[in-house]
């Protein structure tokens, strides 16, 4: 399994488990709706940092979209709009900023993964902490498919530090035998 896929799955599980506790901790300061939106924003920001790292994109390039989403999270009474804007900004960061080499394939992958992930969340109709955890994890499970749909976005083909340790050892052994 390639690193972004594995990390996305683990990140989704951790995000699902931490979403409501983080929101509850901030609910007394911000109110429940804003605290929940800020917790979702924090998850999107952390995942955007991972995407920027995997694509070797500068962090400054993701600040503007995350700033727009933060403003929407703090704006009163915009829950539905925040979720839709969040999906759009999530796609913008991933395919428009971080992995922009394959525009058409990236767009199609975004429609399938973000649309499919949002559909799964809607089908779960999350109301309890357990259903929210499952819904967030399912969303990120679908997001992991993005790295299979768009060719060349896996950083494991780049530097030796990101490659499979077995492949690195095999290549070094072949070099030692040849010399």
């Amino acid at each position: 399994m390639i690193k972004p896929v594995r990390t996305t799955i683990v990140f989704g599980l951790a995000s699902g488990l931490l979403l409501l506790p983080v929101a509850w901790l901030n609910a007394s300061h911000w109110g429940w709706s804003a605290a929940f939106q800020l917790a979702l924003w924090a998850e999107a920001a952390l995942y955007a940092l991972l995407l920027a790292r995997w694509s070797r994109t500068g962090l400054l390039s993701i600040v503007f979209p995350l700033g727009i989403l933060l403003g929407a999270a703090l704006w009163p009474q915009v829950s539905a709009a925040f979720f839709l804007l969040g999906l759009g900004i999530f796609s913008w960061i991933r395919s428009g900023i971080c992995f922009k080499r394959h525009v058409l394939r990236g767009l199609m992958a975004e429609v399938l993964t973000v649309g499919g992930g949002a559909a799964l969340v809607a089908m779960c109709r999350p109301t309890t902490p357990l259903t929210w955890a499952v819904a967030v994890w399912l969303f990120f499970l679908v997001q992991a498919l993005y790295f299979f749909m768009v060719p060349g976005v896996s950083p494991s083909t780049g530097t030796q530090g990101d490659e499979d340790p077995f492949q690195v050892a095999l290549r070094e052994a072949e070099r030692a035998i040849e010399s």
Side-chain angles (χ1 to χ4, degrees), residues 13-14 24 27 31 35 43 60 83 88 91 94 97 143-144 166 170:
L13 180 60
W24 279 328
E43 289 179 357
L60 285 177
F83 294 122
S91 297
R94 185 168 52 188
I97 296 173
Q143 299 318 301
F166 180 76
L170 178 64

Side-chain angles (χ1 to χ4, degrees), residues 10 18 31 43 86 111 118 126 153 156 162 164 172:
V10 172
L18 292 174
E43 289 179 357
V111 168
V153 298
S156 62
D162 292 336
D164 182 30
E172 290 175 7

Side-chain angles (χ1 to χ4, degrees), residues 125-147:
R125 296 181 191 253
T127 54
T128 66
L130 180 62
T131 56
W132 269 111
V134 169
V136 169
W137 188 49
L138 285 173
F139 178 79
F140 277 101
L141 280 177
V142 175
Q143 299 318 301
L145 295 174
Y146 177 86
F147 298 102

Side-chain angles (χ1 to χ4, degrees), residues 19-40 73-77 79:
L19 176 67
L20 290 178
V22 169
W24 279 328
L25 287 173
N26 292 319
S28 63
H29 300 295
W30 295 95
W32 173 248
S33 178
F36 185 71
Q37 290 175 176
L38 285 171
L40 285 174
L74 294 173
W75 199 268
Q77 306 298 327
S79 295

